[in-house]
Amino acid sequence: MYWTLELATKLEDAPWPATKDELIDYAKRSGAPLEVIENLEEIEDEGESYESIEEIWPDYPTSDDDFFFNEEEY
């Protein structure tokens, strides 16, 4: 399983909290790339609900992070 920022953003509007099956269903209905669905299928499922993408991909950048602008360059 691998996540990229582009793949993870496909789940930003998912109906959180959601179970693994609900996320897979959402990804399929929203036309997410196959890689997103494959990543979700690889999650070890214990029937728990996930509150946000951060619980699936802990390295997901928060709204406080800005990877596209470096103040020190200017």
Side-chain angles (χ1 to χ4, degrees):
M1 173 171 55
Y2 69 95
W3 287 101
T4 63
L5 185 56
E6 181 181 352
L7 293 177
T9 57
K10 303 298 182 186
L11 296 177
E12 280 184 342
D13 294 330
W16 302 103
T19 65
K20 173 184 171 179
D21 291 337
E22 291 170 337
L23 290 172
I24 292 171
D25 182 57
Y26 171 81
K28 289 178 180 177
R29 287 185 292 110
S30 66
L34 182 60
E35 291 89 352
V36 173
I37 297 166
E38 289 173 347
N39 284 350
L40 291 170
E41 289 174 344
E42 289 182 27
I43 295 173
E44 293 181 22
D45 187 23
E46 297 177 10
E48 59 204 41
S49 277
Y50 299 96
E51 296 296 321
S52 67
I53 186 67
E54 288 89 4
E55 288 188 21
I56 295 171
W57 186 38
D59 294 333
Y60 184 75
T62 63
S63 60
D64 297 335
D65 296 334
D66 189 354
F67 291 95
F68 303 108
F69 182 74
N70 186 352
E71 290 180 16
E72 295 176 6
E73 288 183 7
Y74 298 98

